[in-house]
mmCIF file of all heavy atoms in Angstrom:
data_model
loop_
_atom_site.group_PDB
_atom_site.id
_atom_site.type_symbol
_atom_site.label_atom_id
_atom_site.label_comp_id
_atom_site.label_asym_id
_atom_site.label_seq_id
_atom_site.Cartn_x
_atom_site.Cartn_y
_atom_site.Cartn_z
ATOM 1 N N VAL A 76 8.767 18.566 8.726
ATOM 2 C CA VAL A 76 9.640 19.447 7.944
ATOM 3 C C VAL A 76 11.018 18.814 7.751
ATOM 4 O O VAL A 76 11.681 19.052 6.739
ATOM 5 C CB VAL A 76 9.758 20.828 8.632
ATOM 6 C CG1 VAL A 76 10.659 21.754 7.851
ATOM 7 C CG2 VAL A 76 8.383 21.447 8.776
ATOM 8 N N ASP A 77 11.438 17.982 8.700
ATOM 9 C CA ASP A 77 12.751 17.342 8.589
ATOM 10 C C ASP A 77 12.792 16.293 7.485
ATOM 11 O O ASP A 77 13.865 15.942 7.008
ATOM 12 C CB ASP A 77 13.135 16.695 9.925
ATOM 13 C CG ASP A 77 13.298 17.734 11.015
ATOM 14 O OD1 ASP A 77 13.653 18.888 10.679
ATOM 15 O OD2 ASP A 77 13.061 17.402 12.197
ATOM 16 N N LYS A 78 11.626 15.777 7.084
ATOM 17 C CA LYS A 78 11.587 14.755 6.032
ATOM 18 C C LYS A 78 11.363 15.335 4.638
ATOM 19 O O LYS A 78 11.270 14.594 3.670
ATOM 20 C CB LYS A 78 10.485 13.736 6.334
ATOM 21 C CG LYS A 78 10.796 12.827 7.487
ATOM 22 C CD LYS A 78 9.714 11.778 7.628
ATOM 23 C CE LYS A 78 10.017 10.826 8.762
ATOM 24 N NZ LYS A 78 8.977 9.792 8.872
ATOM 25 N N LEU A 79 11.240 16.644 4.540
ATOM 26 C CA LEU A 79 11.019 17.266 3.229
ATOM 27 C C LEU A 79 12.283 17.222 2.388
ATOM 28 O O LEU A 79 13.388 17.380 2.904
ATOM 29 C CB LEU A 79 10.559 18.714 3.384
ATOM 30 C CG LEU A 79 9.152 18.936 3.926
ATOM 31 C CD1 LEU A 79 8.890 20.420 4.092
ATOM 32 C CD2 LEU A 79 8.119 18.321 3.018
ATOM 33 N N TYR A 80 12.117 16.998 1.090
ATOM 34 C CA TYR A 80 13.231 17.014 0.153
ATOM 35 C C TYR A 80 12.816 17.741 -1.116
ATOM 36 O O TYR A 80 11.626 17.937 -1.370
ATOM 37 C CB TYR A 80 13.703 15.593 -0.165
ATOM 38 C CG TYR A 80 12.786 14.809 -1.075
ATOM 39 C CD1 TYR A 80 13.090 14.654 -2.424
ATOM 40 C CD2 TYR A 80 11.604 14.236 -0.602
ATOM 41 C CE1 TYR A 80 12.249 13.933 -3.264
ATOM 42 C CE2 TYR A 80 10.771 13.529 -1.428
ATOM 43 C CZ TYR A 80 11.097 13.381 -2.760
ATOM 44 O OH TYR A 80 10.263 12.689 -3.592
ATOM 45 N N VAL A 81 13.792 18.144 -1.894
ATOM 46 C CA VAL A 81 13.528 18.869 -3.136
ATOM 47 C C VAL A 81 13.145 17.849 -4.199
ATOM 48 O O VAL A 81 13.986 17.100 -4.685
ATOM 49 C CB VAL A 81 14.757 19.684 -3.578
ATOM 50 C CG1 VAL A 81 14.464 20.430 -4.865
ATOM 51 C CG2 VAL A 81 15.173 20.648 -2.488
ATOM 52 N N LYS A 82 11.877 17.804 -4.535
ATOM 53 C CA LYS A 82 11.391 16.825 -5.501
ATOM 54 C C LYS A 82 11.736 17.241 -6.925
ATOM 55 O O LYS A 82 12.191 16.431 -7.721
ATOM 56 C CB LYS A 82 9.882 16.644 -5.353
ATOM 57 C CG LYS A 82 9.333 15.542 -6.201
ATOM 58 C CD LYS A 82 7.900 15.262 -5.883
ATOM 59 C CE LYS A 82 7.398 14.085 -6.701
ATOM 60 N NZ LYS A 82 6.014 13.761 -6.383
ATOM 61 N N SER A 83 11.517 18.512 -7.238
ATOM 62 C CA SER A 83 11.893 18.994 -8.570
ATOM 63 C C SER A 83 12.307 20.456 -8.475
ATOM 64 O O SER A 83 11.793 21.204 -7.641
ATOM 65 C CB SER A 83 10.742 18.834 -9.566
ATOM 66 O OG SER A 83 9.694 19.696 -9.228
ATOM 67 N N ALA A 84 13.247 20.813 -9.310
ATOM 68 C CA ALA A 84 13.734 22.191 -9.396
ATOM 69 C C ALA A 84 13.934 22.492 -10.866
ATOM 70 O O ALA A 84 14.797 21.899 -11.513
ATOM 71 C CB ALA A 84 15.033 22.345 -8.613
ATOM 72 N N ILE A 85 13.123 23.402 -11.390
ATOM 73 C CA ILE A 85 13.076 23.643 -12.830
ATOM 74 C C ILE A 85 13.273 25.126 -13.117
ATOM 75 O O ILE A 85 12.765 25.974 -12.385
ATOM 76 C CB ILE A 85 11.713 23.196 -13.406
ATOM 77 C CG1 ILE A 85 11.457 21.718 -13.097
ATOM 78 C CG2 ILE A 85 11.637 23.433 -14.895
ATOM 79 C CD1 ILE A 85 10.041 21.295 -13.372
ATOM 80 N N ALA A 86 13.994 25.422 -14.184
ATOM 81 C CA ALA A 86 14.106 26.793 -14.684
ATOM 82 C C ALA A 86 13.602 26.792 -16.127
ATOM 83 O O ALA A 86 14.236 26.212 -17.008
ATOM 84 C CB ALA A 86 15.542 27.279 -14.617
ATOM 85 N N ASN A 87 12.454 27.399 -16.349
ATOM 86 C CA ASN A 87 11.867 27.476 -17.685
ATOM 87 C C ASN A 87 12.173 28.826 -18.317
ATOM 88 O O ASN A 87 12.454 29.799 -17.631
ATOM 89 C CB ASN A 87 10.353 27.286 -17.609
ATOM 90 C CG ASN A 87 9.980 25.883 -17.210
ATOM 91 O OD1 ASN A 87 10.641 24.927 -17.590
ATOM 92 N ND2 ASN A 87 8.934 25.760 -16.422
ATOM 93 N N ASP A 88 12.070 28.872 -19.645
ATOM 94 C CA ASP A 88 12.262 30.121 -20.367
ATOM 95 C C ASP A 88 11.112 31.083 -20.092
ATOM 96 O O ASP A 88 9.953 30.683 -20.075
ATOM 97 C CB ASP A 88 12.306 29.869 -21.877
ATOM 98 C CG ASP A 88 13.656 29.380 -22.335
ATOM 99 O OD1 ASP A 88 14.626 29.596 -21.607
ATOM 100 O OD2 ASP A 88 13.739 28.786 -23.428
ATOM 101 N N GLY A 89 11.461 32.321 -19.902
ATOM 102 C CA GLY A 89 10.468 33.377 -19.826
ATOM 103 C C GLY A 89 10.498 34.145 -21.136
ATOM 104 O O GLY A 89 11.196 33.762 -22.080
ATOM 105 N N PRO A 90 9.784 35.250 -21.215
ATOM 106 C CA PRO A 90 9.854 36.054 -22.434
ATOM 107 C C PRO A 90 11.232 36.699 -22.569
ATOM 108 O O PRO A 90 11.913 36.937 -21.582
ATOM 109 C CB PRO A 90 8.775 37.112 -22.218
ATOM 110 C CG PRO A 90 8.570 37.160 -20.758
ATOM 111 C CD PRO A 90 8.877 35.802 -20.225
ATOM 112 N N ARG A 91 11.625 36.950 -23.783
ATOM 113 C CA ARG A 91 12.939 37.555 -24.030
ATOM 114 C C ARG A 91 12.767 39.037 -24.306
ATOM 115 O O ARG A 91 11.852 39.448 -25.015
ATOM 116 C CB ARG A 91 13.617 36.878 -25.208
ATOM 117 C CG ARG A 91 13.932 35.436 -24.911
ATOM 118 C CD ARG A 91 14.607 34.796 -26.072
ATOM 119 N NE ARG A 91 14.925 33.403 -25.743
ATOM 120 C CZ ARG A 91 15.625 32.622 -26.528
ATOM 121 N NH1 ARG A 91 16.060 33.071 -27.681
ATOM 122 N NH2 ARG A 91 15.872 31.394 -26.170
#
Side-chain angles (χ1 to χ4, degrees):
V76 180
D77 296 331
K78 289 185 179 181
L79 289 177
Y80 74 102
V81 180
K82 187 172 183 178
S83 68
I85 303 168
N87 292 324
D88 280 340
R91 295 181 179 186

